[in-house]
Amino acid sequence: MRAVIQNSVGGPDVLATAEQPDPTPKAGEVLVRVKAAGINPVDGAVRAGHYKLLGEPPFILGWDISGTVEALGAGVSGFQIGDEVFGMPRFPKQAAAYAELAAVPADEIAPKPSGADHIHAGALPLAGLTAWQGLVRHGGLKSGQRVLIHAAAGGVGHLAVQIAKAHGAYVIATTSPQKLDFARSLGADEVLDYTKGDFADKLRDIDLVLETVGGDHAEHSLKVLKRGGVLVSLLNVSDATKTQAKAQGVRVERMSVVPDREGLLKLGQLIDAKKLAVHVAKSFPLEQAGAAHAFLATKPIGKVVLTA
Ligand SMILES: NC(=O)c1ccc[n+]([C@@H]2O[C@H](COP(=O)([O-])OP(=O)(O)OC[C@H]3O[C@@H](n4cnc5c(N)ncnc54)[C@H](OP(=O)(O)O)[C@@H]3O)[C@@H](O)[C@H]2O)c1
């Protein structure tokens, strides 16, 4: 099979396509013929060596997969050869999705929603599961709540806005000025240009904040939360912020996304009900993985995908 392999850490140009042995599915695994593999910011951090999730190279990046079942390992039931599937297998261990074939645990993938093609389904799992787990599992999202979603035009943010709206929340979204219209089109009730003034001066009585930006954003977001509210952060939260939150009666959840078949099924239901749509800014063939990484670093709206 062809795969994108890297032999050293570094810039996007360390990504190169090479012939690799076909993986063989072990017991409990499914061999997937990958049609599309979504790219996430974590891929770039691992590629560059900032984040040592996969140890030292050589390794194959990628966690987001959409494709068809090519073969079944021993003991796998519930899938047949030819089935269309998607998922975020093995995260944070190596899933090697930037390849024509990937052997993945059967219980970490789900049927691809019929309302999304492979490019859109391949863009969904990691960002979608992060938004789902963050809002619903960690955040305890309920209808009628006031929810603040930072970086609402990003991979996670644009899905989070739609998931929160589908749950009946009142959604306030922050973006840079050129992305405000996009955030509105997702259904956000209020959009804030974060380059014009301080969101914390404009908002009060928020029930749930999804913090996706980092730096002092978590601490700053405490100012808008009501007592009993929840701050769900995808990034590190300082001890000072945790202490401040406790004093304010705010719960803080620092989350890391995990493989989640049930979450995939929920996302698929929202797609098929037309309550959730994945925005793909651009797709690139596997051979152009380096160009795709460079493009993602320009912060396009939505997602970037590789096609195999
Ligand atoms: N813990 C976890 O499990 C987990 C899971 C997924 C992602 N993450 C992390 O969460 C972050 C977001 O992921 P992603 O996939 O959504 O990234 P992404 O697609 O690259 O989007 C990031 C967005 O942030 C926006 N942004 C930058 N500064 C901002 C600010 N001050 N206020 C509001 N928005 C701002 C950018 O757009 P504009 O500035 O143009 O509006 C961009 O669209 C990344 O750091 C990623 O590594 C963590």
Side-chain angles (χ1 to χ4, degrees), residues 32 54 63 68 98 124 136 244 258:
V32 177
L54 303 182
W63 285 277
T68 54
Y98 292 8
L124 176 62
V136 179
Q244 172 65 26
V258 291

Side-chain angles (χ1 to χ4, degrees), residues 118-144:
H118 284 295
I119 288 182
H120 291 83
L124 176 62
L126 193 145
L129 287 176
T130 302
W132 175 268
Q133 292 170 8
L135 292 170
V136 179
R137 298 249 172 84
H138 298 279
L141 176 66
K142 288 186 192 64
S143 179

Side-chain angles (χ1 to χ4, degrees), residues 192-250:
L192 294 181
D193 173 356
Y194 71 78
T195 67
K196 284 207 190 94
D198 183 346
F199 68 88
D201 291 338
K202 299 174 186 162
L203 300 173
R204 282 291 169 272
D205 292 332
I206 302 292
D207 296 286
L208 171 54
V209 175
L210 187 66
E211 199 319 76
T212 58
V213 176
D216 64 0
H217 243 71
E219 188 175 357
H220 211 53
S221 294
L222 291 179
K223 295 183 178 149
V224 306
L225 277 158
K226 63 158 90 151
R227 184 163 281 277
V230 191
L231 172 69
V232 177
S233 179
L234 309 189
L235 300 151
N236 283 338
V237 178
S238 70
D239 287 342
T241 302
K242 288 180 195 158
T243 306
Q244 172 65 26
K246 205 170 177 185
Q248 263 181 246
V250 163

